[in-house]
Every structure is written in C-alpha cells, then in structure tokens.
Amino acid sequence: MQTKPTFAPQLVIPNGVTDISFYLKAFGATELRRFSNDDGTIHVSELSINGTLFHLHEQTGHSAAVSPDKNNGTTVTIGLFVDDVYAVVARAVEAGATITSPVQDYDYGYRQGDIRDPFGHLWMIEKVI
C-alpha cells in the first residue's frame, strides 16, 4: 500500500515555552498531543488545523533548525488557505500576531495577507478568488 505524501511542517519554538494558545485562538487549531519537559515546558506539540498536521518543537542542540528569533528571521512562509482571509487575519492579530503585509487582492487571483506569529513564524493567509 502506497501512502500519499503529505506535508507536516515542524515549527521551531524557543526553549521554555508553555503557552501556545495563539494557534488555537488565531487558526482554530486543535492540540492533538503534547510531550512536555520535566519543568512543564513544551518539547513537542502536535496540532491540527482542519485535519492538517503541524508540529511545534523546541529548539535543540542536535538540530540545524532554529527558532526565528535566533536569526531574527525565517526562510519559510506557511501558506494557510481559508474561506475568509480578513476574519482569520483579524483573529490572528487579536491573538498576538503582527501584520507584515495587509490583506489585498492580487491580479493573479488570490486574496492574501501576511502575518508574523508571536514566535516569529511567517504565515500567508490566503484564498483563491
């Protein structure tokens, strides 16, 4: 049986994080499971947005992946397709995101707005129009 390839991004967060409620409030994510460190901080959290998985993983010394604050930036923008771009961007801002590019319609047929989440990850909230 062949498995259909799927993406499950792993977003690196700083060490010592305990509150990831941004993703639940902004995107309606559900936390499926969590692996905590002895001090209660998050080692790994597995989340789902409408059945699409992604993980938050604390920064570790044995990985080349670092949280965006380590280099004051990131090389990845996560595209999230939604029904109402304006509403999701507004919820994300209310939950702690900052707008890096306001919502607008583009001549190539997309409505898009860019935000930076509280951990520095960039998200492009978008819809085909």
Side-chain angles (χ1 to χ4, degrees), residues 16-22 25 34 42 119:
V17 171
T18 58
D19 182 8
I20 57 165
S21 62
F22 167 81
K25 294 175 185 173
R34 178 183 291 199
I42 295 170
F119 300 106

Side-chain angles (χ1 to χ4, degrees), residues 8-14 17 20 22-23 27 42-45 47 49 53-59 65-68 74 76-79 117 119-123:
Q10 183 166 285
L11 309 180
V12 179
I13 56 175
V17 171
I20 57 165
F22 167 81
Y23 300 101
F27 305 136
I42 295 170
H43 178 65
V44 176
S45 173
L47 298 137
I49 301 173
L53 293 178
F54 71 104
H55 297 90
L56 302 177
H57 196 297
E58 76 174 330
Q59 190 166 299
V66 296
S67 64
T74 180
V76 174
T77 299
I78 303 135
D117 77 23
F119 300 106
H121 299 286
L122 300 177
W123 294 76

Side-chain angles (χ1 to χ4, degrees), residues 6 21 23 37 42 49 51 58 84 89 100 128:
T6 58
S21 62
Y23 300 101
N37 297 310
I42 295 170
I49 301 173
E58 76 174 330
D84 187 340
V89 168
T100 59
V128 177

Side-chain angles (χ1 to χ4, degrees), residues 93-117:
V93 168
E94 187 176 306
T98 56
I99 294 174
T100 59
S101 180
V103 176
Q104 55 190 313
D105 293 348
Y106 291 92
D107 58 3
Y108 48 82
Y110 279 65
R111 175 171 298 143
Q112 297 170 319
D114 297 344
I115 61 166
R116 176 177 284 117
D117 77 23

